[in-house]
Amino acid sequence: MNKKTLFSIRELIVILLSGGLPLFIAYKLGGLPELEVILGALIAPKLLLYYCSVLPIVFIVFYILEKYIYINPLSKKHVLINFVISTLYELSSNIIGIFRFASGVLVTLPFLVLINEPSLFKKVFSQFFFYGLLGAVEVIACYWWLSKVKLKQIF
């Protein structure tokens, strides 16, 4: 297998372990009430969703600008830009973790519905599973790109 395939498989396993496994554990330990609490916690306000979407874009913009615009490496501007890039890098990696969790939940939820309400499985599967897979593809792409980023300022 090539490196990209192994990376994708590993990332899918991480997505399922970070989002799907906690969902199954919550269901096993607390039943449907605990499952409802976890799913309720996942429903984020639009403001948070926009925030989580904008920060990685700002990171990409700063990273590309720093790469293609010359700034004297000894200047304070260069130090400031590297600091901003390293901070946005950390924020972006945390946000990818949140999306990993959400993707794992969306992929796993239809199977819990199958256990409890088999008649609703087809409807839930068509809605949640597709979005979970789409989110997983986005997470894989973003995390792959993030793994290729070389930071100049390391603490």
Side-chain angles (χ1 to χ4, degrees):
M1 275 192 217
N2 66 20
K3 289 181 181 181
K4 288 182 183 178
T5 304
L6 284 174
F7 183 88
S8 298
I9 291 171
R10 186 203 67 184
E11 196 58 33
L12 285 173
I13 291 169
V14 169
I15 287 169
L16 290 175
L17 289 176
S18 66
L21 186 61
L23 201 65
F24 274 116
I25 290 171
Y27 173 71
K28 281 296 190 189
L29 295 178
L32 289 176
E34 187 66 28
L35 192 59
E36 287 178 15
V37 169
I38 285 185
L39 292 176
L42 276 179
I43 300 172
K46 287 183 182 179
L47 179 63
L48 182 62
L49 183 62
Y50 294 144
Y51 176 76
C52 288
S53 301
V54 168
L55 278 178
I57 293 169
V58 172
F59 168 66
I60 290 169
V61 167
F62 269 91
Y63 184 77
I64 291 172
L65 286 175
E66 192 271 336
K67 199 171 188 84
Y68 292 108
I69 295 176
Y70 178 77
I71 299 173
N72 184 356
L74 301 175
S75 71
K76 289 182 181 182
K77 286 181 187 177
H78 196 266
V79 172
L80 178 63
I81 288 175
N82 282 335
F83 179 78
V84 169
I85 288 172
S86 65
T87 303
L88 290 171
Y89 173 87
E90 289 299 324
L91 287 170
S92 297
S93 65
N94 289 339
I95 290 168
I96 289 172
I98 293 168
F99 285 137
R100 274 179 174 163
F101 176 76
S103 295
V105 167
L106 290 174
V107 167
T108 307
L109 184 63
F111 299 103
L112 286 174
V113 170
L114 179 64
I115 293 169
N116 291 302
E117 294 288 331
S119 61
L120 294 175
F121 174 73
K122 192 173 185 179
K123 181 180 178 183
V124 172
F125 185 83
S126 65
Q127 291 176 351
F128 289 103
F129 193 78
F130 172 74
Y131 289 117
L133 283 181
L134 185 62
V137 168
E138 290 175 12
V139 165
I140 291 169
C142 289
Y143 197 71
W144 178 82
W145 185 80
L146 208 58
S147 72
K148 301 299 177 194
V149 169
K150 303 287 188 236
L151 293 179
K152 293 180 182 173
Q153 184 172 10
I154 301 172
F155 297 101

